[in-house]
């Protein structure tokens, strides 16, 4: 079914691109209507109706296979009633219907052109417009159409596919001209127009290719984001790599065709033309036109490599343009696979197939550049790379032989990469890029804190500082998981692997038999929370305008008033002021917040109080009953355990011993889900004890627009 679906998508896309590109070619190069009387134009037009029918048949195949996959019943792929249901009741079906309508309109336009006896340039312009409509409609069901910023990326995708069609679809016309000897033997002006049309196509091919590359880079950046590892470990990634490789080869062929083989072809045609002129006594007007063309192009013809004969140039042009077209067909095939694969940024890499990975943060960014050996190898690699570039440039300028000009610089380049790349490589494991199945939430972090205390604190210390009671007895000092940015240098999957199997050549043991997979992921989340909490030292009672970065743990709660929800429920709706209090120490602060609660609500802020200690049910009930502030009844313990990790300040980092939780803390989370400010009365010299200062910070947040996308639910 999947093969059939891919073939249906590929065939209709190829047909659509060929129709669009061929019409663009004829519209652009057909400044003189005499061009349309050439035999190759008539041959090209004969396949137009066939291509239009292929588009319709391909769309039917797409609908059939999509119906089978969408319903989960393969037999529905052949049931007309199932097709109708998909078209009537799904957005995908509605878009298919729109594409089908455009395809029917295209068929009508093609038949109109085919049945016309006299050709005009606007006929092909009409054909190009009609052929562009199904392509533009396909952008709406692409990855770009599913993106949250589809208004930005759908037009980019549409431009990408249209310029790709302008290049790919013009290749059949190119092939028909260079393979049809009759056209080269044609008389007079027709020959000149044929050659000029080829030159025009080669000229516009450069900006078209630039547009393909630029729009492709924009789309790839959006679909990959920071998940570059998926380029060599997912269907999407490998399809993209193959597609880019094919494009590079095609660009090389196109460059050779334009700079060498096309002038050779033109020169051969010129010789034939002069012979035909003598025999048939062409009109003086045609001779003048041809003479002017010959004079304008003589310089380019003279620059042809003298070692390549004219006939050899024509032979190579025909051979390599044919290869270019075949490669282009494969390129469209992999583009089809690409468009129907899960984007790299969403691809799940359950098992990383390599024993290493490349990273800047975990190597040079972690200080490895201070090693003299690393410095030497990086310097050597850069020097070799510069030498290879200079050698290639010099060889091209002085016209050295192939060995000196290409092979030698390439060998030197490989040696330079062999020196540079290992300096960015670190060990990797099957779990390195595995997605964390457990969300970064208060329950997981709280569970992880218990597990860390049981299995890890004896070596790493109660706060992960690497100063546990057994640390001095070990052959290697345990990692400082608190103040060193290990979570930035290593993936969550790395930590998961180490917790299960230990770290080679270190005292770190594995706990696969003692900890379940969920336990290990909880511990990973706790390690990340510790690291983020230490970075929270930068927070204060003053927000940093337009600089959201800190992601708080999400949580679920139920209050004494019966309100239930999660922190995520308030995203895009209101700010959240989390008030962590200890009874009865915080009683005066709670009274002040109660008095100003309406003012805070009026500026779009929800206040949620979370106890820092357990106390009698009666005391809590009384507090909640006498306070309009929502007080958490269920979930407070996990929330407290998570947010207490964010208590540190620059002046009081609290890294010794087990740490001390302040009696009162307040955190301000903006309406986009980011932790923006924090006030701890016992540590901060000034802050929100003056409610007006708090209000001013909230008003400043309310003026900000969305800067970053919503925080993710999992660590990476």
């Amino acid at each position: 079914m999947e093969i059939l679906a891919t073939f249906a998508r590929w065939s209709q896309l190829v047909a659509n691109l060929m129709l669009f590109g061929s019409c663009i070619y004829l519209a652009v190069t057909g400044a003189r209507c005499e061009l349309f009387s050439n035999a190759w134009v008539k041959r090209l037009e004969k396949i137009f109706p066939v291509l239009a029918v292929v588009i319709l048949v391909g769309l039917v195949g797409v609908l059939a296979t999509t119906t089978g996959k969408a319903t989960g019943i393969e037999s529905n792929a052949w049931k007309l009633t199932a097709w109708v249901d998909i078209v009537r009741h799904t957005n995908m079906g509605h878009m298919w219907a729109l594409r089908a309508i455009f395809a029917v309109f295209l068929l009508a336009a093609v038949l109109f052109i085919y049945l016309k006896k006299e050709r005009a340039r606007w006929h092909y312009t009409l054909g190009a417009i009609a052929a562009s409509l199904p392509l533009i409609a396909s952008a709406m069901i692409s990855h770009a159409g599913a993106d949250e910023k589809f208004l930005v990326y759908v037009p980019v995708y549409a431009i990408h596919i249209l310029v790709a069609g302008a290049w790919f679809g013009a290749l059949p016309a190119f092939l028909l001209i260079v393979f049809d000897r009759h056209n080269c033997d044609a008389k007079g002006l027709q020959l000149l127009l044929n050659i000029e049309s080829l030159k025009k196509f080669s000229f516009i091919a450069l900006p078209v290719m630039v547009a393909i590359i630029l729009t492709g880079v924009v789309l790839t950046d959006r679909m990959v984001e920071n998940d570059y590892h998926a380029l060599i470990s997912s269907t999407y990634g490998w399809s993209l790599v193959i597609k880019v490789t094919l494009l590079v080869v095609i660009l090389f062929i196109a460059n050779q065709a334009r700079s060498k083989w096309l002038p050779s072809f033109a020169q051969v045609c010129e010789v034939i033309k002069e012979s035909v002129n003598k025999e048939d006594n062409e009109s003086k007007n045609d001779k003048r036109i041809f003479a002017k063309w010959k004079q304008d192009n003589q310089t380019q013809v003279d620059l042809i490599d003298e070692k390549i004969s004219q006939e050899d140039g024509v032979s190579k042009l025909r051979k390599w343009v044919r290869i270019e077209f075949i490669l282009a067909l494969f390129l469209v095939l992999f583009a089809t696979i690409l468009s129907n694969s899960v984007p790299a940024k969403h691809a799940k890499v359950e098992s990383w197939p390599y024993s290493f990975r490349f990273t800047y943060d975990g190597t040079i960014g972690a200080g490895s550049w201070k090693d003299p050996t690393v410095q030497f190898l990086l310097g050597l690699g850069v020097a070799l790379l510069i030498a290879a570039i200079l050698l290639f440039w010099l060889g091209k300028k002085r016209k050295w032989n192939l060995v000196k000009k290409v092979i030698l610089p390439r060998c030197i380049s490989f040696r330079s990469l062999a020196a540079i790349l290992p300096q960015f490589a670190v060990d990797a494991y099957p779990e390195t890029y595995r997605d964390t199945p457990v969300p970064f939430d208060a329950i997981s972090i709280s569970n992880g804190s218990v597990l860390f205390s049981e299995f890890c604190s004896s070596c790493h210390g109660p706060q992960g500082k690497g100063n546990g009671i057994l640390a001095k007895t070990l052959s290697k000092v345990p990692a400082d998981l608190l103040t060193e940015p290990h979570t930035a240098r290593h993936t969550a999957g790395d930590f998961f692997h180490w917790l299960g199997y230990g770290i080679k050549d270190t005292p770190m043991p594995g706990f696969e038999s003692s900890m379940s997979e969920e336990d290990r992921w909880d511990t990973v989340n706790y390690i990340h929370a510790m690291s983020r909490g230490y970075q929270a030292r930068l927070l204060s009672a003053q927000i940093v305008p337009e600089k959201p970065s800190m992601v708080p743990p999400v949580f679920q709660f139920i209050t004494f008033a019966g309100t239930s929800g999660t922190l995520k429920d308030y995203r895009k709706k209101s700010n959240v002021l989390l008030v962590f209090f200890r009874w009865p120490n915080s009683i005066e602060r709670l009274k002040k917040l109660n008095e100003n609660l309406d003012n805070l609500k009026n500026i779009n802020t929800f206040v949620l109080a979370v106890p820092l200690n357990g106390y009698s049910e009666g005391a809590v009930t009384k507090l909640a009953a006498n306070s309009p502030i929502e007080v958490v009844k269920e979930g407070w313990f996990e929330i407290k355990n998570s947010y207490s990790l964010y208590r540190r300040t620059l002046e009081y980092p609290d890294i010794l011993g087990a740490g001390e939780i302040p009696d009162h803390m307040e955190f301000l989370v903006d309406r986009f889900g980011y932790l923006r400010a924090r006030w701890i009365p016992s540590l901060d010299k000034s802050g929100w004890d003056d409610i007006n200062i708090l209000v001013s910070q909230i008003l400043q947040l309310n003026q900000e627009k969305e800067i970053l996308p919503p925080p993710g639910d999992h660590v990476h």
Side-chain angles (χ1 to χ4, degrees):
M1 179 69 74
E2 192 61 39
I3 294 175
L4 182 61
T6 300
F7 178 76
R9 294 187 181 96
W10 175 75
S11 60
Q12 66 89 20
L13 180 59
V14 166
N16 206 158
L17 293 174
M18 286 179 63
L19 259 176
F20 176 73
S22 295
C23 288
I24 287 289
Y25 183 97
L26 292 170
V28 170
T29 62
R32 303 190 62 169
C33 292
E34 290 89 343
L35 176 71
F36 304 142
S37 62
N38 272 298
W40 67 265
V41 177
K42 296 178 181 178
R43 290 190 182 94
L44 184 62
E45 288 180 350
K46 284 183 179 179
I47 66 172
F48 281 5
V50 177
L51 294 175
V53 171
V54 168
I55 294 172
L56 282 170
V57 173
L59 284 174
V60 172
V62 169
L63 177 61
T65 54
T66 300
T67 300
K69 290 177 65 176
T71 60
I73 304 173
E74 288 194 3
S75 60
N76 282 345
W78 319 112
K79 292 182 180 179
L80 184 60
T81 54
W83 297 2
V84 173
D85 287 339
I86 288 290
V87 173
R88 290 180 59 189
H89 302 299
T90 66
N91 291 332
M92 176 179 57
H94 299 159
M95 289 307 305
W96 181 91
L98 181 64
R99 295 171 68 193
I101 292 170
F102 286 154
V104 171
F105 174 69
L106 173 58
L107 177 60
V110 164
L111 292 175
F112 170 78
I113 296 172
Y114 185 73
L115 296 175
K116 275 284 185 180
K117 293 184 179 180
E118 297 293 331
R119 298 288 183 270
R121 199 175 186 181
W122 70 267
H123 293 160
Y124 302 109
T125 302
L126 172 64
I129 293 172
S132 70
L133 296 178
L135 294 174
I136 294 172
S138 69
M140 292 299 299
I141 57 172
S142 65
H143 293 317
D147 194 271
E148 59 183 8
K149 294 185 177 180
F150 68 93
L151 291 177
V152 175
Y153 290 100
V154 165
V156 175
Y157 182 89
I159 294 171
H160 180 72
I161 198 168
L162 290 177
V163 292
W167 158 73
F168 172 75
L171 289 177
F174 202 116
L175 284 168
L176 286 173
I177 293 175
V178 299
F179 272 94
D180 193 343
R181 186 74 185 195
H182 174 74
N183 283 334
C184 201
D185 293 338
K187 300 178 183 180
L189 187 59
Q190 285 188 355
L191 172 61
L192 174 58
L193 293 173
N194 286 348
I195 299 172
E196 285 298 329
S197 70
L198 292 179
K199 291 170 70 65
K200 277 187 177 181
F201 169 68
S202 295
F203 179 77
I204 66 171
L206 178 61
V208 164
M209 277 296 182
V210 170
I212 291 174
I213 293 171
L214 290 178
T215 53
V217 167
V218 171
L219 293 170
T220 299
D221 178 69
R222 185 63 178 178
M223 295 300 111
V224 176
E225 291 188 344
N226 295 321
D227 296 308
Y228 297 107
H229 62 275
L231 293 178
I232 53 173
S233 57
S234 67
T235 302
Y236 183 96
W238 280 117
S239 299
L240 181 62
V241 169
I242 295 173
K243 177 185 173 183
V244 171
T245 302
L246 289 172
L247 182 60
V248 170
V249 176
I250 288 170
L251 285 173
F252 176 78
I253 295 173
N255 178 65
Q256 292 292 98
R258 184 173 185 271
S259 62
K260 288 186 176 182
W261 305 326
L262 183 58
S264 274
F265 177 78
Q267 193 175 27
V268 169
C269 289
E270 176 188 335
V271 173
I272 296 172
K273 170 67 182 67
E274 289 175 343
S275 174
V276 172
N277 279 344
K278 290 179 182 179
E279 294 178 5
D280 296 345
N281 193 22
E282 277 290 315
S283 68
K284 293 181 180 181
N285 184 51
D286 280 359
K287 286 181 180 179
R288 284 196 302 272
I289 294 173
F290 193 84
K292 184 178 184 304
W293 174 85
K294 175 182 174 182
Q295 181 181 0
D296 292 342
N297 292 272
Q298 191 61 45
T299 301
Q300 187 176 13
V301 170
D302 290 341
L303 292 176
I304 301 172
D305 191 344
E306 295 178 357
K307 294 182 180 180
I308 302 178
S309 67
Q310 297 169 355
E311 289 293 342
D312 187 43
V314 173
S315 175
K316 287 189 174 182
L317 179 65
R318 290 170 174 167
K319 173 185 175 182
W320 286 103
V321 171
R322 178 169 52 191
I323 292 175
E324 180 182 1
F325 182 67
I326 294 172
L327 291 177
L329 288 173
F330 279 103
L331 188 149
V332 175
L333 173 62
F334 283 101
T336 303
I337 297 173
L338 191 70
S339 64
N340 291 279
S341 303
V342 177
K345 64 180 180 180
H346 299 309
K348 294 183 179 296
V349 183
E350 292 297 325
S351 182
W352 178 248
Y354 312 103
S355 61
F356 65 93
R357 66 184 178 94
F358 294 111
T359 171
Y360 174 83
D361 291 332
T363 52
I364 306 301
S368 66
W369 61 272
K370 297 177 182 178
D371 186 334
T373 303
V374 173
Q375 293 176 0
F376 171 76
L377 290 172
L378 286 175
L380 176 63
V382 171
L384 287 174
L385 188 60
I386 294 173
I389 294 172
L390 291 176
L391 197 61
F392 177 77
W393 173 78
L394 193 62
K396 191 172 183 181
K397 185 176 181 180
R398 297 189 177 182
K399 297 183 179 180
W400 289 348
N401 59 36
L402 182 65
V403 173
K404 289 183 179 180
K405 185 173 69 175
V406 178
I407 298 179
L408 184 58
R410 186 174 296 177
C411 291
I412 295 175
S413 298
F414 288 151
R415 293 299 301 171
S416 73
L417 293 177
I420 293 173
L421 291 181
Q423 313 316 312
F424 293 89
V426 296
D427 290 339
Y429 316 97
E431 304 91 344
T432 288
Y433 289 109
R434 187 175 297 178
D435 290 338
T436 54
V438 179
F440 183 70
D441 62 16
I443 293 176
S444 175
I445 295 169
S446 183
N447 290 341
S449 68
V450 176
L451 293 163
F452 186 89
S453 178
E454 179 181 354
F455 293 101
C456 311
S457 62
S458 59
C459 295
H460 290 279
Q463 297 197 77
K465 186 69 176 64
N467 56 356
I469 57 176
L470 298 179
K472 292 183 179 181
T473 67
L474 303 175
S475 59
K476 189 173 182 179
V477 178
D480 179 353
L481 301 174
L482 179 66
T483 65
E484 295 293 327
H486 288 286
T487 55
R489 297 171 183 171
H490 305 288
T491 68
D494 286 341
F495 285 101
F496 178 80
H497 177 87
W498 293 329
L499 285 167
Y501 306 103
I503 301 177
K504 185 175 62 174
D505 299 328
T506 74
M508 168 75 183
F511 301 102
E512 184 186 22
S513 60
S514 306
M515 301 172 69
S516 67
E517 286 200 3
E518 185 173 353
D519 287 342
R520 280 184 274 164
W521 286 122
D522 285 342
T523 307
V524 170
N525 281 335
Y526 176 71
I527 293 171
H528 271 262
M530 278 198 304
S531 181
R532 294 185 187 186
Y534 187 74
Q535 297 304 314
R537 293 172 300 125
L538 303 175
L539 290 174
S540 70
Q542 302 289 323
I543 71 166
V544 180
E546 309 289 338
K547 295 287 186 180
S549 61
M550 188 66 62
V551 179
V554 296
F555 55 81
Q556 298 175 331
F557 66 89
I558 298 177
T559 69
F560 281 90
T563 302
S564 63
T566 70
L567 182 62
K568 291 174 61 176
D569 293 341
Y570 297 90
R571 289 182 186 174
K572 302 291 183 73
K573 296 179 181 178
S574 68
N575 308 301
V576 177
L577 178 64
L578 295 174
V579 180
F580 290 84
F581 67 94
R582 192 181 300 272
W583 186 263
N585 309 56
S586 302
I587 189 169
E588 293 301 322
R589 177 60 179 174
L590 291 174
K591 286 181 179 179
K592 184 177 288 189
L593 289 172
N594 284 335
E595 293 170 359
N596 291 274
L597 187 60
D598 289 338
N599 292 336
L600 293 173
K601 288 181 178 179
N602 291 336
I603 56 175
N604 198 31
T605 301
F606 172 70
V607 180
L608 184 66
V610 182
L612 285 170
N613 59 337
Y615 38 87
S616 70
E617 184 74 18
V620 178
T621 304
K622 184 178 179 180
L623 170 66
N626 295 328
S627 172
I629 295 177
E630 298 276 8
V631 180
V632 175
K633 179 180 180 181
E634 296 182 21
W636 69 269
F637 183 76
E638 291 80 8
I639 301 171
K640 180 265 294 186
N641 283 348
S642 301
Y643 279 80
S644 62
L645 297 172
Y646 291 71
R647 68 186 181 275
R648 311 176 198 281
T649 69
L650 288 172
E651 292 189 17
Y652 303 96
D654 190 20
I655 59 177
L656 300 177
E660 184 177 352
I661 300 176
D663 288 340
H664 190 95
M665 301 182 294
E666 295 181 15
F667 295 89
L668 183 58
V669 180
D670 69 18
R671 66 188 187 281
F672 302 112
Y674 288 91
L675 182 57
R676 301 299 299 277
R678 176 203 58 212
W679 177 55
I680 302 177
S682 62
L683 301 180
D684 296 325
K685 295 179 180 179
S686 62
W688 301 339
D689 48 345
D690 182 350
I691 290 293
N692 292 326
I693 296 178
L694 173 61
V695 169
S696 68
Q697 298 302 298
I698 295 174
L699 291 175
Q700 195 168 350
L701 286 179
N702 289 343
Q703 293 176 357
E704 292 184 359
K705 296 181 179 179
E706 186 172 11
I707 300 169
L708 295 176
D713 293 337
H714 301 81
V715 297
H716 300 284

